[in-house]
Amino acid sequence: MAQKTSERGLAGAAAPVVTEPGRVRNVVLVGHSGSGKTTLAEALLAASGTIPRPGSVTEGTTVCDHDPAAVRQQRSVSLACAPLVHDDVKINLLDTPGFADFVGELRAGLRAADAALFVVSAVDGVDDATTALWEECAAVGMPRAVAITRLDHPRADYDGTLDRCQEAFGDNVMPLYQPMLGDDGQSVAGLLGLVTLRVLDYSAGHPPQVRDAEPEHLAPVEEERNALIEGIIAESEDETLMDRYLGGETVGQDVLIPDLEKAVARGHFYPVIPVCAQTGVGLDALLDTLVSSAPTPLEHDLPAVTGVDGSPRTPLVCDPDGPLVAEVVKTTIDRHVGRVSLVRVFSGTLRPEQTVHVSGHGMAERGHPDHDADERIAHIYSPLGAQLREVSSCVAGDLCAITKSGSAETGDTLSGKDEPLLMAPWRMPEPLLPIAVVAKSRSDEDALAKNLARLVAGDPTLRLERNADTHQLVLWCMGESHADVVLERLRAGGVELDTEPVKVSLRETFGAAAKGHGRHVKQSGGHGQYAVCDIEVEPLPRGGGFEFVDKVVGGAVPHNYIPSVEKGVRAQLERGLVAGYPVVDLRVTLFDGKAHSVDSSDAAFQTAGSMALKEAAEAGQMTLLEPVDEIVVRVPEAYVGAVMSDLSGRRGRPMGTENEDETGYSLVRAEVPATELIRYAVELRAITSGAGTFSRTYVRHEPMPSHLADAVRKEAVAAR
């Protein structure tokens, strides 16, 4: 990508530098795949003069699509930062993936941003996943605006898309502009400002010609304009303004526009701007709206902060002269540069040659160990996609990139070394699709371990598990697309690997009491081996663990060899008896045996104990136990029936449903065998059109149906 970047003239682009937070806008682009986010970002960069011309998404030449895995799959899979300058204000555009599998990148973008721009295609409209994202932004009070794109498409339906946005997002979603058709009656040639009553005419190209609207233009938009004015006045801090307006007083633009900007910045009003990235229609209007209405970092509440030991600290303020507190919102590994960290500075100023404290937290279960260390920041860069342009500083409220950090990972806090601090982590989704990987050769194992460590460092939604029961290396991913990209990145790093079916951690137990006789007698000319033991095995209730009882009388088994029998039994329990899975919930009683004064030994009695347990298993009606999870599925109410039916087909036991107030979603609870959940993350998404999510919690192991257990046993025998 570095070569393509240079060819497009980005290498010489000046990096925008600001010295005060009020001149920064951090805006995250949100929307489903295909809505046109990356294309819009490219068009805005070109319109502002940041790049000479937009790149192509399908060719992988855009600023934002710099990941080789993304280029090959023609999809955006990573968070990308693209800063531009408009009206002397720096706008950091944060382009996020539209695929649900990469929601971790979206959450990182939301963390770094102060406002969200929802990009909705005039062709495809609003889907359930986009509505869920809108609700997520609403939960944290993030200001939002809507850009309706792809107006030049033959199937574009602006009015219908606007209606669907208002149905999905609420009544305070209102257009600021009305598209105006060209002379052909089909293409969009301009916009009519509903507040200013001025026309932006793009028929002669970009920039547009600006003129007052003609009388014939006003009548068709009178109803929309009145609704917009009433919506703005309803959010005004002047409580008398609505009465005056309803009484016939004309409210001027000098009142409406400031009230509109305040309402948008507070997250109470959501403007809609029609745009066409290909023709440039609406780009100026969108940039003006972001500059005037998106909140500055000074207006956005900052995350909570504590000492690294959890001790309370004074809430942060966005002050360039305050204590340094920044956060790594994205980590990537460049094969030439090494580790590249995208950083949001919340307080203080980050400078080159500065020593900072790096604090990690709370992700050990996903392969991200906690850590605390001091590091020196050599250089600071302004990122433009994959291009890094060195800058002299990064003030509170701004974004920058640092390189070659030894320990900083996604979610880590950078703070002053004299006062180490820790920011409250943002909520990350749990990866629920397991993929078992294996290196093709022993020489690939080291390369696989190194590359996995790099991927896990940059992707908090990727969990690495080395399953002690199944001896598999399992990557827990967000979905198939996420898994494909992870495997592609591993192979691009020179790792030869294969995938294999994921095994579930089953258990074995005894279904009935049984006795076993273990006799290990060998004579080979020298010191022999002699040990005999008799045991009785009894099943215990689920969760009973393992008990070993000594009932030997008369010294049939010498006292010093009794622990050897127990050791041999325990070792065999770990290896399994029927299908190679650990044996649980039983009591083993040693009641008799024999020893030899010369040939008996610790090793001999360990072997005899193992043999006795195997013989007991042959007559003990062995049972396979499978793990059962409690799952909570969150879906729109319309999909509850389909989800319940699907869970029944997975041997699930419904435990009830409940409705979430005012969200239109329901929670479905059920207990389901873990063997039926291996691909549930993918299949639930298909059932619910991408709107369903779920969580799972282990409950217990319980007997597996006999026909399934027989299949597992046959598979185990065939593998020996």
Side-chain angles (χ1 to χ4, degrees):
M1 183 59 197
Q3 181 179 358
K4 291 180 180 179
T5 300
S6 178
E7 291 173 355
R8 294 178 57 214
L10 299 186
V17 179
V18 294
T19 58
E20 54 185 89
R23 301 170 71 86
V24 177
R25 307 290 185 273
N26 297 309
V27 181
V28 60
L29 305 184
V30 180
H32 64 76
S33 178
S35 61
K37 298 185 301 299
T38 301
T39 301
L40 176 60
E42 287 283 311
L44 291 172
L45 291 170
S48 65
T50 306
I51 60 177
R53 64 184 184 279
S56 168
V57 174
T58 56
E59 295 175 6
T61 57
T62 67
V63 168
C64 298
D65 283 336
H66 56 272
D67 189 324
V71 172
R72 279 186 283 273
Q73 299 185 30
Q74 293 189 6
R75 64 181 64 175
S76 175
V77 299
S78 299
L79 175 70
C81 180
L84 58 87
V85 176
H86 181 73
D87 284 350
D88 206 26
V89 171
K90 181 183 180 184
I91 304 175
N92 289 314
L93 295 177
L94 294 158
D95 187 25
T96 63
F99 287 87
D101 284 10
F102 306 103
V103 66
E105 304 286 331
L106 170 65
R107 297 273 174 85
L110 293 175
R111 176 70 159 206
D114 302 308
L117 178 64
F118 277 73
V119 182
V120 179
S121 167
V123 178
D124 302 319
V126 182
D127 63 356
D128 290 331
T130 304
T131 303
L133 293 175
W134 182 276
E135 294 171 353
E136 188 169 324
C137 290
V140 297
M142 176 167 282
R144 284 145 282 164
V146 178
I148 297 181
T149 62
R150 303 183 67 190
L151 301 179
D152 56 337
H153 194 280
R155 293 191 292 109
D157 179 7
Y158 171 77
D159 292 332
T161 302
L162 176 60
D163 290 342
R164 287 190 287 275
C165 286
Q166 292 172 333
E167 292 173 3
F169 303 152
D171 295 336
N172 272 10
V173 176
M174 294 187 179
L176 297 186
Y177 298 88
Q178 178 67 29
M180 299 181 65
L181 299 180
D183 294 337
D184 58 5
Q186 295 181 343
S187 61
V188 177
L191 301 179
L192 170 61
L194 296 181
V195 175
T196 63
L197 295 180
R198 294 178 68 81
V199 172
L200 304 180
D201 187 353
Y202 293 85
S203 58
H206 191 276
Q209 297 178 356
V210 183
R211 65 176 188 272
D212 291 335
E214 302 295 334
E216 63 269 20
H217 296 150
L218 302 181
V221 298
E222 181 178 1
E223 183 177 345
E224 287 185 354
R225 185 172 191 271
N226 289 337
L228 175 62
I229 292 174
E230 291 179 9
I232 295 173
I233 292 175
E235 298 298 329
S236 174
E237 296 177 354
D238 185 348
E239 298 179 357
T240 68
L241 190 57
M242 180 63 77
D243 292 336
R244 287 153 45 199
Y245 172 73
L246 295 177
E249 179 180 326
T250 300
V251 182
Q253 297 180 24
D254 58 334
V255 175
L256 289 175
I257 293 177
D259 282 347
L260 168 65
E261 294 171 354
K262 292 177 183 177
V264 174
R266 290 197 303 263
H268 298 166
F269 190 87
Y270 317 107
V272 178
I273 302 95
V275 275
C276 179
Q278 300 294 339
T279 64
V281 170
L283 296 179
D284 307 76
L286 179 56
L287 288 172
D288 288 341
T289 302
L290 295 179
V291 167
S292 63
S293 301
T296 72
L298 296 168
E299 301 171 271
H300 192 205
D301 292 337
L302 302 186
V305 65
T306 67
V308 292
D309 59 354
S311 57
R313 289 293 190 274
T314 303
L316 293 178
V317 294
C318 185
D319 180 4
D321 296 323
L324 176 65
V325 181
E327 188 171 37
V328 178
V329 295
K330 172 66 181 175
T331 303
T332 57
I333 306 296
D334 185 281
R335 64 177 58 186
H336 303 295
V337 180
R339 184 173 296 191
V340 180
S341 301
L342 178 64
V343 175
R344 163 76 189 258
V345 180
F346 288 94
S347 172
T349 300
L350 189 62
R351 295 183 173 88
E353 306 301 328
Q354 183 177 6
T355 299
V356 302
H357 187 83
V358 181
S359 302
H361 50 72
M363 300 289 287
E365 73 281 0
R366 297 193 188 184
H368 304 256
D370 291 356
H371 54 266
D372 290 287
D374 289 341
E375 289 193 15
R376 187 177 68 88
I377 305 298
H379 302 280
I380 299 174
Y381 303 91
S382 175
L384 180 56
Q387 184 70 28
L388 300 177
R389 301 163 296 169
E390 192 165 356
V391 293
S392 59
S393 64
C394 183
V395 301
D398 202 1
L399 295 167
C400 66
I402 60 174
T403 61
K404 300 180 181 179
S405 170
S407 60
E409 299 181 356
T410 302
D412 284 355
T413 302
L414 309 182
S415 58
K417 66 174 184 177
D418 297 330
E419 188 182 2
L421 298 172
L422 187 63
M423 299 191 73
W426 68 83
R427 187 171 62 90
M428 295 298 294
E430 185 71 22
L432 294 168
L433 177 66
I435 304 293
V437 297
V438 58
K440 281 191 174 181
S441 65
R442 185 173 296 275
S443 61
D444 288 313
E445 291 180 356
D446 289 341
L448 177 61
K450 291 179 181 178
N451 280 273
L452 281 174
R454 292 173 180 173
L455 289 181
V456 171
D459 188 354
T461 62
L462 180 65
R463 178 160 59 91
L464 178 62
E465 175 191 5
R466 299 181 185 274
N467 193 303
D469 293 337
T470 65
H471 308 292
Q472 286 187 311
L473 183 62
V474 180
L475 295 175
W476 287 85
C477 306
M478 295 300 299
E480 283 186 311
S481 295
H482 188 206
D484 290 344
V485 168
V486 169
L487 295 176
E488 177 70 26
R489 288 172 176 166
L490 288 172
R491 294 184 175 113
V495 180
E496 294 291 330
L497 57 84
D498 287 321
T499 61
E500 60 184 8
V502 176
K503 299 177 183 178
V504 174
S505 299
L506 304 180
R507 298 285 186 269
E508 301 175 13
T509 193
F510 280 72
K515 291 184 178 181
H517 176 72
R519 184 175 186 273
H520 182 61
V521 178
K522 285 188 177 182
Q523 191 68 43
S524 55
H527 188 69
Q529 299 181 52
Y530 188 97
V532 178
C533 62
D534 292 282
I535 64 172
E536 182 178 14
V537 180
E538 304 168 81
L540 294 177
R542 294 288 79 80
F546 170 70
E547 297 179 8
F548 185 83
V549 180
D550 172 18
K551 286 190 176 181
V552 176
V553 295
V557 177
H559 182 73
N560 58 310
Y561 289 135
I562 291 176
S564 302
V565 176
E566 180 180 355
K567 187 175 181 180
V569 168
R570 286 184 179 273
Q572 189 61 51
L573 292 179
E574 293 178 1
R575 292 192 295 267
L577 294 168
V578 176
Y581 293 100
V583 185
V584 296
D585 301 336
L586 75 161
R587 177 188 296 118
V588 174
T589 301
L590 175 64
F591 63 87
D592 200 3
K594 293 181 181 180
H596 189 278
S597 59
V598 176
D599 292 340
S600 290
S601 65
D602 171 72
F605 271 99
Q606 285 189 45
T607 303
S610 173
M611 296 171 65
L613 188 64
K614 289 180 181 179
E615 181 176 291
E618 294 178 359
Q621 301 177 19
M622 295 298 295
T623 300
L624 281 181
L625 304 175
E626 61 180 347
V628 175
D629 290 353
E630 179 181 342
I631 68 170
V632 180
V633 186
R634 184 177 184 269
V635 292
E637 293 176 4
Y639 294 107
V640 170
V643 168
M644 295 284 284
S645 177
D646 178 73
L647 290 176
S648 296
R650 297 175 186 276
R651 299 187 284 130
R653 293 185 292 273
M655 299 174 63
T657 62
E658 58 185 272
N659 296 328
E660 287 189 346
D661 295 338
E662 300 179 358
T663 66
Y665 276 72
S666 293
L667 300 179
V668 179
R669 301 180 186 274
E671 289 186 349
V672 186
T675 53
E676 303 287 347
L677 295 174
I678 292 177
R679 291 187 55 80
Y680 190 59
V682 176
E683 289 150 358
L684 175 64
R685 192 171 295 163
I687 294 170
T688 62
S689 301
T693 58
F694 78 104
S695 61
R696 58 188 292 182
T697 305
Y698 168 77
V699 178
R700 61 183 174 275
H701 274 71
E702 62 182 34
M704 175 181 280
S706 58
H707 68 286
L708 297 178
D710 290 342
V712 172
R713 293 189 185 98
K714 290 179 181 178
E715 183 178 341
V717 171
R720 291 172 183 166

